[in-house]
Structure formats: C-alpha cells, structure tokens
Amino acid sequence: MAKGHISSLLAAILIIFFSSPLATAARYNVLNYGAKPDGRTDSTQAFLAAWTQACESIMAATVHVPPGRFFLQNVAFQGPCKNNAILFRVHGTLVAPSDYTVIGNTENWIFFQYVNGVTVSGGVLDGQGPGLSACKASGMNCPSGATSLGFCNSNNIVISGLTSLNSQLYHIVINGCQNVKVHSVTVSASGHSPNTDGIHVQLSSGVTILKSRIRTGDDCVSIGAGTTNLWTENVACGSGHGISIGSLGKDLQEPGVQNVTVKSVTFTGTQNGLRIRSWGRPSSGFNSIVIDQNYCPDNQNCPGQESGVKISDVTYQDIRGTSATEVAIKFDCSKKNPCSGIKLKDVKLNYKNQPADASCDNADGTAFGFIQPSSCL
Ligand SMILES: *[C@@H]1O[C@H](CO)[C@@H](O)[C@H](O)[C@H]1NC(C)=O
C-alpha cells in the first residue's frame, strides 16, 4: 500500500514537473542550426531556421543566442506563429554587414512582423552605421540606411535589456503595434549621425518606454502619426534632438496623436527638450502632440501654411536637463487648430547654465509646480 502511494506521488510530481511551463518551453539554440559566433560567418539562415522552429512550436518557445558575435544580413522574423510566447534570448552581439550597401537599401535590418507575444531580451545590436554616416556627410549619393530593429503589425511585444549601437538609420521602430513595453534599453550612436532616432513610434497604441538611456544623433524618442496612449518614464536623453512629436500631418489622411505622457526624463546637451511640430498644411489628423505646427522645410508644399493636425492632451512631468539651443520648449501650433490640454509639471531646463527659453504659439494648457523656463502656456 505504502509503496503504491509513493509511486503515485512520484507520478504526480513528474506530471507537475513536465507540465510546468519551464519544463515544456521548447528551446532552439541558433548554434544547432549552423550559426557561428565568430563575427564573420553569415548566420542569417541559421537564425531564420531557429525562428521557424520556435514559431511552429505549439508551446512557448525560446530562441537562444549564446555569447559571441553573430554576423547577420537583413532578416525578417515573420508570424503569425502557433504560440504566443516566444522569447528571443540574446547573450551575444548581432553584427550588421560593415559594407553599408548590403542592408542600406532595405527598410529594416532585424525585423519582426505579424507576431504576437514576442520578447527580445538582452544582447547587443551593432548596426555598423558610421560608414553610412561618413558617406552622407561627404554629400555623395548614399543609401538611406536600415532601421536596426523593427516591429510591424505586432501585439504584446517586450524589448528589454537590449543595447543598440550605431544604427544606420533609426535604432528601434514600433509601427502598427499594440501593447509594447520597452525597458532597460541602451541606445548609443554618435551625435553627428543623421536620422539615428532612438525609438520611433507610429500608428501604435499602448507603448511604454521605461528606464532607458538614449544617446543619438537625432530624436531620442520620436512620436509619429497615429500614436495613442504612449507612456515614457525614466528616460535619459542626450545627445541628440530630444523628444519630438511629429513631424505630423505630412499626409492628408493621417491619424493624429493622442494621450502622450513624458515623465521623469532628463535631457543632456540635446538640441531641444520637447518639441511638437506638424506640417503647415491641411491634414485630417486630429488630437496630436507636436511643437511646431508650422513645420515646412524650405517653405515648400505647404499651401496656406495652416496645419490641419490637432494636438491635445500632452503631459510633460518631471523633466530636467540642458538644451543645446536657447529655446528648450517650443509649442508652435497652428491658428486653425491650436494645441490644447498641454500640461507641464515640474520642468527645469537650462541653456548654458541659465534658464532656457520657452515659446508658445496658439498653445493652451496649464502648468503646475516648478517650471523653468517659465511657462508660456
Ligand atoms: C492614456 O494612456 C495611458 C497609458 O499610457 C493609459 O493608462 C490611460 O488609460 C490612457 N488614458 C485614456 C483616457 O485613454
């Protein structure tokens, strides 16, 4: 009897063990598919093969990338997958081709599309961008460059503990996604590298960016058309251009920007702190958040110079830092569609150790707490 009890107990334990998620998560190590951590061998197909297995798995799956340098050309990890819990666990460094023409004409280097429940954790992405920056600086005809990590039309995404170095173009792009958490991410590129935005969000809802350090040659976080319910907190920006909403309203049919919160962000030597700008031309976009509603490069293609984009409900809270230009806060909104519902709370921005300037046109809102430069709302 006692023996029977013990064996059924054992069986129960075994069943619990093997049915726990840890015991059953399938694990696909890229080395088993031919990837080589030598920084030279093209591991693109090996990564794709490991991804395909993880995506086909009916249970939670991990793609495991061990330490080492893995050379990757542009690669698209496509869904939909048969499970919605794929962990891309990276210990090593993914290295882009040093010849910028190889991926420079593709939109993305590492790209996820139509996936649900994907986490990219850890690792370093080395976009090898300086060659392309040098080409652009020389005035030659150069490719526009690839975004290092792109997520498109995907839901329930986590990007954590990742370091992105020297992208050719944007570092991270979230486009057409819902429920995305970006946290503990480090972005680093030269202050002189053009269009190397840290994190660009568009046509997406429920994106949260937490505890990250972003040093680039362009926007720290850029918020494009169709962004709603974005939360940014505890982000250190600098160098670069600061946090920008826009340019919005470039297209006639363009969704607006709604409910954006920027909280506890520090700016160090950024060109601006916060900037909202929208194209000075008609657009059906509404409720957006940009600080220049008369944006019109070279005064071309902006009939009437009146922005059709509406910007509302933008909160900036606990923002501090230094601006590289005198005007640290610029709300340049259109007469036809003034910005509304802008809230400033506890803001301290300097320019050359003096309080910076703020400028407001057609912007309505409220200021609370300590505000420097004094609010122009
Ligand atoms: C605004 O966005 C936050 C997330 O960033 C969300 O928690 C909140 O419910 C949203 N508010 C409205 C009115 O949608």
Side-chain angles (χ1 to χ4, degrees), residues 212-266:
S212 294
R213 303 178 58 82
I214 300 174
R215 192 177 70 82
T216 77
D218 210 298
D219 291 336
C220 171
V221 175
S222 58
I223 300 160
T227 301
T228 59
N229 301 353
L230 173 88
W231 192 279
T232 304
E233 187 168 356
N234 279 318
V235 172
C237 293
S239 56
H241 293 181
I243 293 188
S244 301
I245 301 177
S247 318
L248 301 179
K250 193 171 179 185
D251 298 320
L252 192 56
Q253 298 290 323
E254 185 183 280
V257 174
Q258 237 172 342
N259 186 20
V260 169
T261 302
V262 175
K263 190 175 171 186
S264 303
V265 169
T266 59

Side-chain angles (χ1 to χ4, degrees), residues 11-26 59-61:
I13 288 170
L14 286 175
I15 287 165
I16 289 165
F17 180 75
F18 281 107
S19 58
S20 79
L22 267 183
T24 55
M59 55 179 100

Side-chain angles (χ1 to χ4, degrees), residues 292-367:
D292 175 0
Q293 283 202 301
N294 298 301
Y295 182 62
C296 189
D298 308 325
N299 279 319
Q300 279 173 2
N301 299 321
C302 316
Q305 316 290 311
E306 275 297 341
S307 179
V309 177
K310 178 111 180 78
I311 294 164
S312 71
D313 300 323
V314 188
T315 301
Y316 298 109
Q317 186 180 341
D318 197 11
I319 309 292
R320 56 205 64 232
T322 58
S323 169
T325 58
E326 207 161 345
V327 178
I329 298 182
K330 187 160 192 258
F331 297 102
D332 188 355
C333 305
S334 82
K335 219 174 273 167
K336 196 169 140 223
N337 277 305
C339 300
S340 64
I342 295 174
K343 286 196 193 78
L344 294 176
K345 186 162 191 268
D346 298 322
V347 175
K348 186 168 192 271
L349 293 167
N350 282 329
Y351 167 68
K352 292 188 173 163
N353 295 322
Q354 303 282 332
D357 280 349
S359 101
C360 295
D361 282 302
N362 306 308
D364 184 61
T366 44

Side-chain angles (χ1 to χ4, degrees), residues 1-13:
M1 279 311 241
K3 210 172 165 192
H5 272 301
I6 288 169
S7 49
S8 55
L9 188 64
L10 259 178
I13 288 170

